C-alpha cells in the first residue's frame, strides 16, 4: 500500500486594526503644539466650559485675581487676548470661575505669552478643598506657547482658574483657553480606542485542503506565548535565594526587568578601584534564564546623596577620571546584555555632576555610553513629570529642552528615550495624559520605568488607573513596576505579602495581565467560515495557533490537528503565510 502524504494548508495574514471601539463620546484631542508661535491656535474643544475662551467679547467671564490689573488687547493682526499686569504676587493674574464635578475628568489647554524674556507660567484651580495645579509651561515674549494639562477634584463645587508666575515683573498674556470635562465612561472609551489601534492587530487565517479548497468548520485556537507590550517588574538579590519569590515572579508573563540597586555605582564600586559586579551578574543570569530583557539602572545618579562616599570629595580631572572609568566599566561589561541604560538618573532635579564638571556633564555621559554600546537605548529618567503637577522642575517642556540638549551634543545620535519613574502618591490621570501627549513630540520611546503608588486606602485603585492610562497611551512603549520584594518591605509598594500571596495591588496587576491578553492560559477559539477563513483581533505578541479539522477531512488522510507559531505586531506587512501539516 502506497503511503499518502497529503497536506493541509493554512494561510495566515494579519494587518493593523484601525477601526476603534465605537462609543457615543466626544473624542479626546491628543494634539499639542510645542513650538512658540506668532499667533495662538484656536482653543481645543471650542473652549469647553470656558466662557469667552478666545477673548472675542472683551473681558466677559474674566476677572482680576490676586490684585492684578488686567486689560483686553488686540494685536496688529486682529488677535484678541487678555493681559494681567501690575503683578505684586506670583498668583496675581486673571481668573474665571467654573463649576467642577468630582466625578468628571478635566483636560485643560491655554496659550500663554509673557511681556519680556521667558518665565514659567502655571495654571492653578482654587477649589473648596485647596489648590489644584493643572500644568505649566515656559512662556516667552514675542510668541505664544501652548500649556496643556488636566485635573480632577475631590469634591464638586465652584473653582477659580488662575495663572501664576514667580517672576512678578512679567505681564502674563492669555488666550485660547479650554477646559473640557469627560465622564469616566468617555475617558475609558478613549483608552479602549487607543488600545485597539496601538496594541492590537487583526489576524485573518484561511484553512484549505491539499487541493486548495477551503475547509469549513476547522476549530482554531490562538494562545499567547509572549506579550508584545513590554511589561515587567523590578527585582533584587532576594529572588536568587527565595524559591517562593522566584515562583511568583516567573509565573507572570513579565518580559523585562530592572535591578533595584545592584548595578548602581555605590553597589559595584563601594571602594575606589575595587569593582564588584557579582550581584549584578547573578541577577543578569537569572533574567537571561527566564527570557527577561534587562534595563541597566543606572550609570550615574545626579543626587549627591547617592554617590559612592569616595566620589563626593572628588573634583576636576580626578572626578573626570572616575566617571570615565565608571561608564567604560559598566557599559562595556554589559554590552549586548541590556536593552537600555538610565544614563544620568534625575538630572533635572539634581546637579551633582553639572556643578562639578560643567553644564554639559550629562550630555558627555550620554556620548560615552553610546560610544561603549551603540545599540542600547540611552534614557533620561526622572520623577514627578507625570506624578506631580506642582513640581515645576520637571514640567514636560523642561524635560524636552534637556533631552534636546543631550541629543544635540556631538556623538549623541544613537537611540535615546524618555524614562518616567512614576512614583505616585495619588492619580491625576488627566494631567498624566497631557504630559504624555506633550512628551510624544520628542519622537522617541517613552517608558514608565519605576511605577509604584504610596501606601494608602486608594493604593490599588490608583495603581489600576495609572496602569490603564500608561498601557493605552500611544506614546508609551513599556512599563516596569518598582516592586522588588524584601522581607522588611518594598520601597513603597509590594504586590505580595511575605508568603507571596497577592495583595490588592498584586490582584490589580494579575487582572490587567489577563485583560490585556497576556495570560497564556487564556485562548481565543473560533471556527473557519464557508470560505475557510477565521478572523480575530489579537494583542501584539507571539502566539501558538492550533487547530482541528473536521472529522470527514481527517478520515480522508489529513492530520486531524495542526500547530504553528506566529508573531502579531503593529508592523505586519499584510503578507500571507503558509502553514503545512503532514497527513497521517
Amino acid at each position: 500500500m502506497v503511503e499518502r502524504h497529503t497536506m493541509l494548508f493554512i494561510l495566515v495574514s494579519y494587518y493593523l486594526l484601525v477601526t476603534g471601539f465605537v462609543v457615543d463620546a466626544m473624542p479626546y484631542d491628543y494634539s499639542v503644539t510645542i513650538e512658540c508661535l506668532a499667533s495662538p491656535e484656536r482653543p481645543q474643544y471650542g473652549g469647553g466650559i470656558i466662557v469667552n475662551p478666545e477673548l472675542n467679547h472683551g473681558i466677559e467671564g474674566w476677572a482680576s485675581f490676586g490684585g492684578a490689573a488686567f486689560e483686553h488687547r488686540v494685536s496688529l493682526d486682529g488677535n484678541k487676548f487678555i493681559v494681567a499686569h501690575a503683578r505684586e504676587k506670583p498668583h496675581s493674574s486673571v481668573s474665571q470661575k467654573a463649576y467642577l464635578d468630582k466625578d468628571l475628568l478635566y483636560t485643560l489647554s491655554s496659550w500663554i505669552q509673557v511681556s519680556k524674556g521667558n518665565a514659567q507660567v502655571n495654571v492653578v484651580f482654587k477649589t473648596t478643598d485647596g489648590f489644584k495645579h493643572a500644568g505649566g509651561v515656559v512662556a516667552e515674549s514675542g510668541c505664544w506657547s501652548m500649556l496643556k494639562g488636566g485635573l480632577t477634584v475631590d469634591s464638586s463645587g465652584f473653582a477659580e482658574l488662575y495663572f501664576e508666575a514667580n517672576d512678578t515683573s512679567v505681564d502674563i498674556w492669555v488666550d485660547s483657553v479650554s477646559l473640557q470635562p469627560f465622564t469616566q465612561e468617555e475617558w475609558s472609551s478613549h483608552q479602549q480606542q487607543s488600545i485597539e489601534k496601538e496594541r492590537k492587530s487583526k489576524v485573518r487565517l484561511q484553512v484549505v485542503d491539499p487541493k486548495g479548497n477551503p475547509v469549513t468548520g476547522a476549530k482554531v485556537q490562538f494562545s499567547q506565548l509572549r506579550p508584545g507590550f513590554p511589561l515587567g517588574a523590578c527585582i533584587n538579590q532576594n529572588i536568587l535565594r527565595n524559591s517562593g519569590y522566584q515562583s511568583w515572579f516567573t509565573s507572570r508573563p513579565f518580559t523585562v526587568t530592572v535591578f533595584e540597586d545592584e548595578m548602581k555605582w555605590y553597589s559595584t564600586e563601594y571602594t575606589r578601584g575595587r569593582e564588584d559586579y557579582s550581584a549584578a551578574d547573578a541577577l543578569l543570569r537569572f533574567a537571561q534564564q527566564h527570557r527577561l530583557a534587562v534595563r541597566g539602572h543606572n550609570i550615574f545618579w545626579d543626587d549627591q546623596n547617592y554617590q559612592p562616599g569616595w566620589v563626593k570629595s572628588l573634583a576636576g580631572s580626578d572626578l573626570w577620571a572616575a566617571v570615565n572609568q565608571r561608564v567604560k566599566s559598566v557599559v562595556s561589561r554589559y554590552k549586548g546584555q541590556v536593552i537600555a541604560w538610565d544614563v544620568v538618573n534625575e538630572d533635572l532635579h539634581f546637579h551633582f555632576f553639572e556643578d562639578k564638571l560643567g553644564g554639559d556633564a550629562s550630555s558627555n555621559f550620554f556620548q560615552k555610553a553610546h560610544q561603549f554600546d551603540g545599540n542600547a537605548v540611552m534614557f533620561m529618567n526622572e520623577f514627578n513629570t507625570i506624578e506631580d503637577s506642582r513640581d515645576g522642575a520637571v514640567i514636560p517642556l523642561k524635560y524636552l529642552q534637556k533631552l534636546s540638549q543631550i541629543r544635540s551634543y556631538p556623538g549623541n545620535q544613537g537611540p535615546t528615550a524618555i524614562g518616567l519613574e512614576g512614583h505616585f502618591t495619588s492619580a491625576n490621570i488627566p494631567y498624566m495624559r497631557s504630559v504624555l501627549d506633550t512628551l510624544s513630540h520628542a519622537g522617541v520611546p517613552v517608558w514608565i520605568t519605576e511605577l509604584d503608588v504610596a501606601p494608602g486606602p486608594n493604593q490599588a485603585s490608583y495603581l489600576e488607573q495609572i496602569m490603564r492610562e500608561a498601557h493605552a497611551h500611544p506614546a508609551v512603549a513599556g512599563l516596569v513596576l518598582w516592586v522588588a520584594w524584601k522581607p522588611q518591605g518594598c520601597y513603597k509598594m509590594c504586590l505580595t505579602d511575605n508568603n507571596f500571596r497577592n495583595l490588592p495591588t498584586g490582584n490589580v496587576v494579575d487582572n490587567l495581565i489577563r485583560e490585556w491578553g497576556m495570560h497564556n492560559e487564556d485562548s481565543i477559539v473560533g471556527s473557519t467560515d464557508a470560505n475557510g477563513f477565521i478572523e480575530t483581533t489579537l494583542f501584539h505578541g507571539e502566539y501558538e495557533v492550533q487547530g482541528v479539522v473536521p472529522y470527514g477531512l481527517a478520515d480522508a488522510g489529513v492530520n486531524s490537528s495542526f500547530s504553528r507559531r506566529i508573531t502579531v505586531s503593529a508592523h505586519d506587512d499584510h503578507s500571507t503565510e503558509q502553514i503545512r501539516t503532514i497527513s497521517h
Side-chain angles (χ1 to χ4, degrees), residues 292-577:
L292 294 164
V294 175
R295 298 189 71 256
H297 178 77
N298 49 52
I299 302 175
F300 298 108
W301 199 339
D302 232 348
D303 187 345
Q304 71 169 10
N305 295 319
Y306 294 101
Q307 307 303 326
W310 58 271
V311 170
K312 295 179 182 180
S313 61
L314 301 183
S317 60
D318 201 16
L319 180 55
W320 273 116
V323 299
N324 288 339
Q325 172 59 26
R326 162 63 179 172
V327 66
K328 177 182 179 181
S329 174
V330 71
V331 178
S332 297
R333 184 180 189 88
Y334 296 115
K335 179 180 180 180
Q337 300 183 83
V338 300
I339 60 169
W341 278 106
D342 294 328
V343 180
V344 193
N345 218 38
E346 301 169 359
D347 61 348
L348 288 173
H349 279 102
F350 307 108
H351 313 97
F352 174 80
F353 293 105
E354 285 78 5
D355 291 344
K356 287 177 172 281
L357 301 175
D360 283 334
S362 290
S363 300
N364 181 278
F365 299 162
F366 271 80
Q367 178 200 62
K368 288 182 170 58
H370 282 301
Q371 176 185 338
F372 292 114
D373 189 345
N375 293 320
V377 182
M378 302 301 169
F379 277 75
M380 286 181 62
N381 197 43
E382 266 298 347
F383 67 93
N384 277 356
T385 308
I386 54 174
E387 302 98 306
D388 193 340
S389 56
R390 299 167 299 177
D391 192 340
V394 287
I395 60 172
L397 189 59
K398 288 185 178 179
Y399 198 119
L400 292 176
Q401 289 172 343
K402 183 68 174 181
L403 182 65
S404 178
Q405 175 190 340
I406 289 169
R407 297 179 74 191
S408 63
Y409 192 81
N412 282 346
Q413 286 69 55
T416 311
I418 290 171
L420 305 171
E421 292 181 10
H423 296 298
F424 287 83
T425 56
S426 61
N428 182 350
I429 299 302
Y431 179 72
M432 175 181 173
R433 184 181 288 184
S434 74
V435 172
L436 293 171
D437 294 347
T438 305
L439 294 178
S440 69
H441 278 261
V444 301
V446 178
W447 280 56
I448 314 300
T449 56
E450 305 180 19
L451 177 59
D452 60 18
V453 179
N458 297 314
Q459 184 185 47
S461 173
Y462 289 154
L463 177 65
E464 180 177 351
Q465 293 175 49
I466 295 160
M467 289 186 69
R468 286 187 181 279
E469 188 63 39
H471 178 255
H473 199 282
V476 176
L479 192 163
V480 180
L481 297 153
W482 200 256
V483 290
W485 176 83
K486 293 187 286 284
Q488 65 271 30
C490 306
Y491 173 66
K492 280 188 179 180
M493 182 181 81
C494 285
L495 298 182
T496 72
D497 62 19
N498 283 357
N499 293 312
F500 301 100
R501 294 176 299 212
N502 267 12
L503 297 170
T505 50
N507 288 336
V508 165
V509 173
D510 282 350
N511 290 339
L512 290 177
I513 283 172
R514 180 167 280 107
E515 182 180 322
W516 296 342
M518 296 179 178
H519 200 284
N520 58 16
E521 294 180 2
D522 297 332
S523 301
I524 295 177
V525 180
S527 299
T528 55
D529 62 19
N531 295 313
F533 287 104
I534 180 172
E535 288 190 9
T536 189
T537 301
L538 299 175
F539 282 98
H540 298 155
E542 298 175 14
Y543 286 83
E544 183 172 21
V545 182
Q546 295 176 304
V548 178
V549 303
Y551 287 116
L553 188 57
D555 292 341
V558 176
N559 267 0
S560 61
S561 63
F562 52 86
S563 177
R564 177 67 181 269
R565 292 191 177 188
I566 64 171
T567 298
V568 180
S569 74
H571 306 292
D572 293 327
D573 60 2
H574 308 264
S575 62
T576 300
E577 185 174 323

Side-chain angles (χ1 to χ4, degrees), residues 173-338:
W173 302 10
V174 178
D175 198 1
S176 292
V177 185
S178 173
L179 183 64
Q180 177 63 43
F182 292 99
T183 65
Q184 294 286 348
E185 292 74 19
E186 288 176 317
W187 202 265
S188 296
S189 76
H190 304 151
Q191 294 173 339
Q192 189 60 39
Q193 290 172 48
S194 182
I195 287 171
E196 294 293 330
K197 181 179 179 181
E198 303 293 334
R199 310 294 180 211
K200 291 183 173 183
S201 292
K202 184 175 284 186
V203 175
R204 188 167 186 261
L205 176 152
Q206 185 183 33
V207 180
V208 298
D209 67 16
K211 296 180 180 180
N213 301 311
V215 175
T216 302
K219 303 296 183 184
V220 183
Q221 175 176 288
F222 300 86
S223 302
Q224 190 178 84
L225 303 174
R226 186 175 177 86
F229 180 80
L231 175 67
C234 176
I235 59 175
N236 57 31
Q237 293 180 75
N238 289 299
I239 202 167
L240 301 175
R241 47 184 176 263
N242 189 306
S243 59
Y245 187 6
Q246 290 181 21
S247 177
W248 185 93
F249 187 91
T250 59
S251 64
R252 271 70 190 168
F254 297 139
T255 58
V256 63
T257 190
V258 64
F259 309 155
E260 187 174 35
D261 289 311
E262 287 79 2
M263 278 188 177
K264 292 171 182 171
W265 198 1
Y266 58 68
S267 295
T268 62
E269 195 176 2
Y270 183 80
T271 301
R272 187 172 192 176
R274 296 179 60 183
E275 294 180 335
D276 181 2
Y277 289 102
S278 58
D281 288 349
L283 283 174
L284 184 64
R285 287 193 295 272
F286 174 86
Q288 292 170 339
Q289 289 167 4
H290 296 282
R291 291 189 66 198
L292 294 164
V294 175
R295 298 189 71 256
H297 178 77
N298 49 52
I299 302 175
F300 298 108
W301 199 339
D302 232 348
D303 187 345
Q304 71 169 10
N305 295 319
Y306 294 101
Q307 307 303 326
W310 58 271
V311 170
K312 295 179 182 180
S313 61
L314 301 183
S317 60
D318 201 16
L319 180 55
W320 273 116
V323 299
N324 288 339
Q325 172 59 26
R326 162 63 179 172
V327 66
K328 177 182 179 181
S329 174
V330 71
V331 178
S332 297
R333 184 180 189 88
Y334 296 115
K335 179 180 180 180
Q337 300 183 83
V338 300

Side-chain angles (χ1 to χ4, degrees), residues 55-56 58 71-83:
L55 285 306
N56 289 329
E71 62 186 58
H72 186 262
R73 293 185 188 174
V74 182
S75 66
L76 293 177
D77 62 359
N79 180 58
K80 301 177 178 65
F81 56 98
I82 196 168
V83 176

